[in-house]
Amino acid sequence: MELNILICDDDKEIVRAISIYLENEGYQVFKAYDGIEAIELVQEHVIHLIIMDIMMPKMDGITATMKIRQDNMIPLIMLSAKSEDHDKILGLNIGADDYMAKPFNPLELMARVKSQLRRYTTFGSLEVSNHVFQTGGLTIDDEQKVISVDHAEVHLTPVQYKIVKLLTANAGRVFTIEEIYEKVWNERAVNPENTVAVHIRKIREKIEINPKEPKYLKVVWGVGYKIEKY
Amino acid sequence: MELNILICDDDKEIVRAISIYLENEGYQVFKAYDGIEAIELVQEHVIHLIIMDIMMPKMDGITATMKIRQDNMIPLIMLSAKSEDHDKILGLNIGADDYMAKPFNPLELMARVKSQLRRYTTFGSLEVSNHVFQTGGLTIDDEQKVISVDHAEVHLTPVQYKIVKLLTANAGRVFTIEEIYEKVWNERAVNPENTVAVHIRKIREKIEINPKEPKYLKVVWGVGYKIEKY
DNA sequence: TTAATTCTTAAGACTTTCTTAGTGTTTTGC
DNA sequence: GCAAAACACTAAGAAAGTCTTAAGAATTAA
């Protein structure tokens, strides 16, 4: 999966240097040199993460962050500033997700970027290399995109399939609705939606004998859903 | 690995705000409102890092820091004070590990906390490796949100689960009702409520063979509750 | 355009949580 | 040792919260 990172700094040398690291890791990089450019790019493209300087001409990083959040846009935002500019940072909650002091160590930056983006790397770190997952009578063949329950094939729609795959590949682990949303749609949930619940219902209709007493797809009250590990 | 941070400030609003950030990052937070409370908590719990205000009633942060160091206790200590206070140098000479000027930006604070705690973590971000706590016949799997007593699975509600998790993760240690309330609900108990007792009752009903003679969840009269350490 | 899929909404079912009020037990002080 | 006080336990019902379900609107694919 392609992850898009926007790097925004008025120092072109920094932008260039960081881009190299990011591209090296396989990320798609977008570049901006002030807050206004950044906002434009965010409106035009699906950006997953923004690394933004605070001190910039035209529009600073704080203002840009607030504008982006006002528009209900949900990319992750990491702010950065020279350590002596700390006092410039006012206001308690402007909606950034991380902060780094300049000059920063590229390795640490990469570690933080990965840490932030972990929510999108759905099956990445957790997935087993195998193409077939199984738990109890539930089998999912990721190569043929086919799932079977007790040896009977079941047809799932794409979204349903992704949810089942996520839960089955990590059978036993409980995922909150937000987590499921983030990992399946690759977006952050803006407000608590019911859509995941509806999909869960549809899935149960297909894979459970008795949807009221699910054998596979279980709810953990007040927490989330999981596929039972057998 | 669970990292415990103690935040100590007489301004309750600050304590509350910072706790939210810290908990959001997965740290276990303890709260104190003056130096004496801080020292008590440090003696009772394994604290990895203290964020302490300098200006406080009863016992100030400098004195508390010195006392803690005199006792050969080793938590990291970050002091904070309004920028016009020039106690900075003094603070660092008496054994504090970092200093921050108020008002501070939460993102910067988080960056510094992580930086200090890096010695406890593999690389920057805090990665919990162990999801299973155990003591005697009581096992709690934090990934599956499942607890078992003598190999029999037990279903707990979210609040019940949080209480059991808190006590089990610190098995043998006594928590007062107020402590339990603060940690589970993330707020101070306004007036001595009975709600914790009710939850304790419900938990015992589920995890004890004979709730009247609890084997795991014990009361310490006049003090609080604990889970027996075996 | 039609068909399939996905998303939104809202009502109702169900679960959990909190409050109250009363009962039982342990400690304190005389 | 006994009464009073302090603290812990229990039960039941009200309030709050979460999940389920169905139906239809919106979107996407064929």
Side-chain angles (χ1 to χ4, degrees):
Chain A
M1 184 212 171
E2 182 106 312
L3 289 175
N4 301 329
I5 300 180
L6 166 60
I7 163 137
C8 179
D9 199 308
D10 55 322
D11 183 335
K12 296 193 176 169
E13 192 43 46
I14 287 185
V15 173
R16 204 190 56 78
I18 294 179
S19 308
I20 292 172
Y21 277 92
L22 291 171
E23 277 159 358
N24 211 33
E25 293 279 338
Y27 298 111
Q28 174 77 301
V29 178
F30 293 79
K31 297 166 190 168
Y33 302 96
D34 63 61
I36 291 176
E37 281 181 43
I39 288 181
E40 284 170 6
L41 280 169
V42 168
Q43 285 165 344
E44 288 162 12
H45 301 86
V46 176
I47 300 292
H48 298 100
L49 173 67
I50 306 174
I51 301 168
M52 185 153 47
D53 191 27
I54 286 176
M55 295 291 288
M56 286 186 302
K58 290 190 188 169
M59 185 189 290
D60 66 281
I62 304 273
T63 313
T65 300
M66 294 196 310
K67 281 221 190 301
I68 288 169
R69 289 289 184 244
Q70 269 168 22
D71 292 355
N72 271 331
M73 288 188 286
I74 50 174
L76 294 159
I77 301 179
M78 293 172 65
L79 291 176
S80 70
K82 294 205 186 76
S83 28
E84 59 258 36
D85 290 335
H86 280 150
D87 305 327
K88 300 275 161 69
I89 310 167
L90 298 173
L92 274 184
N93 204 346
I94 55 161
D97 299 282
D98 199 2
Y99 171 86
M100 287 203 68
K102 283 208 261 184
F104 32 60
N105 171 341
L107 292 179
E108 188 191 341
L109 176 65
M110 294 314 297
R112 291 207 185 195
V113 167
K114 279 184 194 163
S115 160
Q116 287 292 334
L117 289 175
R118 190 158 296 149
R119 67 183 69 205
Y120 294 132
T121 58
T122 311
F123 311 107
S125 57
L126 296 163
E127 189 188 15
V128 201
S129 54
N130 208 329
H131 290 290
V132 179
F133 319 99
Q134 189 179 23
T135 174
L138 203 159
T139 312
I140 155 166
D141 184 335
D142 195 39
E143 200 146 72
Q144 307 213 19
K145 307 289 178 201
V146 161
I147 97 157
S148 345
V149 183
D150 300 328
H151 305 292
E153 266 191 26
V154 178
H155 168 77
L156 293 190
T157 69
V159 170
Q160 291 165 7
Y161 182 83
K162 279 188 191 171
I163 293 174
V164 173
K165 182 183 168 191
L166 172 68
L167 298 184
T168 310
N170 304 285
R173 188 182 147 177
V174 180
F175 288 81
T176 67
I177 287 191
E178 283 77 18
E179 276 180 306
I180 294 174
Y181 196 90
E182 284 175 6
K183 297 210 181 289
V184 170
W185 280 264
N186 286 318
E187 298 172 6
R188 291 214 272 176
V190 249
N191 42 21
E193 301 284 0
N194 190 30
T195 78
V196 171
V198 175
H199 285 289
I200 294 286
R201 166 82 208 306
K202 296 280 185 188
I203 293 167
R204 281 193 183 138
E205 244 169 38
K206 292 180 179 174
I207 71 173
E208 302 284 0
I209 299 165
N210 178 7
K212 300 245 184 189
E213 278 181 29
K215 179 183 162 193
Y216 298 110
L217 211 178
K218 302 215 169 170
V219 60
V220 179
W221 247 86
V223 187
Y225 298 92
K226 69 173 172 181
I227 284 212
E228 198 65 77
K229 193 175 190 171
Y230 287 108
Chain B
M1 178 197 184
E2 181 122 84
L3 291 176
N4 299 331
I5 300 182
L6 166 60
I7 163 134
C8 180
D9 200 309
D10 55 322
D11 182 335
K12 296 187 180 173
E13 194 41 48
I14 287 185
V15 172
R16 201 191 59 79
I18 294 178
S19 309
I20 292 172
Y21 278 88
L22 291 171
E23 276 158 2
N24 211 32
E25 294 280 337
Y27 299 108
Q28 173 79 286
V29 178
F30 293 79
K31 298 164 191 169
Y33 303 96
D34 63 61
I36 291 176
E37 279 181 41
I39 288 180
E40 284 171 5
L41 280 169
V42 169
Q43 285 165 346
E44 289 164 12
H45 300 86
V46 176
I47 301 289
H48 297 101
L49 171 68
I50 306 173
I51 301 168
M52 184 153 48
D53 191 26
I54 287 178
M55 296 290 287
M56 285 186 302
K58 290 191 188 171
M59 186 189 290
D60 66 281
I62 304 272
T63 314
T65 301
M66 294 197 315
K67 281 220 189 305
I68 287 168
R69 289 292 184 241
Q70 269 168 24
D71 293 353
N72 275 326
M73 289 188 285
I74 50 163
L76 293 159
I77 301 179
M78 293 172 65
L79 290 175
S80 70
K82 295 208 182 73
S83 35
E84 56 260 35
D85 297 333
H86 289 283
D87 306 320
K88 179 174 181 173
I89 307 113
L90 180 56
L92 289 175
N93 280 338
I94 55 151
D97 299 282
D98 197 1
Y99 172 88
M100 287 201 68
K102 281 208 251 184
F104 35 60
N105 169 286
L107 295 176
E108 182 191 346
L109 177 65
M110 293 313 300
R112 291 207 186 195
V113 166
K114 281 184 193 164
S115 157
Q116 288 292 335
L117 288 174
R118 192 151 295 148
R119 69 181 67 187
Y120 292 120
T121 60
T122 4
F123 197 6
S125 72
L126 166 88
E127 212 54 54
V128 182
S129 52
N130 200 355
H131 300 287
V132 180
F133 315 98
Q134 190 178 24
T135 175
L138 205 160
T139 311
I140 155 167
D141 183 334
D142 197 38
E143 187 166 274
Q144 305 207 21
K145 307 289 178 203
V146 160
I147 97 156
S148 340
V149 183
D150 300 327
H151 305 292
E153 263 191 27
V154 178
H155 168 78
L156 294 188
T157 69
V159 170
Q160 292 164 8
Y161 181 85
K162 280 186 192 168
I163 293 174
V164 172
K165 183 182 166 190
L166 172 68
L167 298 184
T168 309
N170 303 283
R173 185 160 289 145
V174 181
F175 286 80
T176 67
I177 287 190
E178 283 76 18
E179 275 182 305
I180 293 174
Y181 195 91
E182 284 172 18
K183 295 231 165 291
V184 171
W185 281 264
N186 280 319
E187 46 183 77
R188 291 207 108 182
V190 256
N191 41 21
E193 299 283 359
N194 188 30
T195 75
V196 171
V198 174
H199 284 290
I200 294 286
R201 165 82 208 307
K202 295 282 184 187
I203 293 168
R204 282 194 181 138
E205 240 170 41
K206 291 178 179 176
I207 71 172
E208 302 285 359
I209 299 164
N210 179 7
K212 302 247 183 188
E213 279 181 28
K215 180 183 163 194
Y216 297 109
L217 212 178
K218 304 215 168 170
V219 61
V220 179
W221 252 85
V223 187
Y225 298 93
K226 68 171 174 179
I227 284 215
E228 199 65 75
K229 193 175 189 172
Y230 287 107

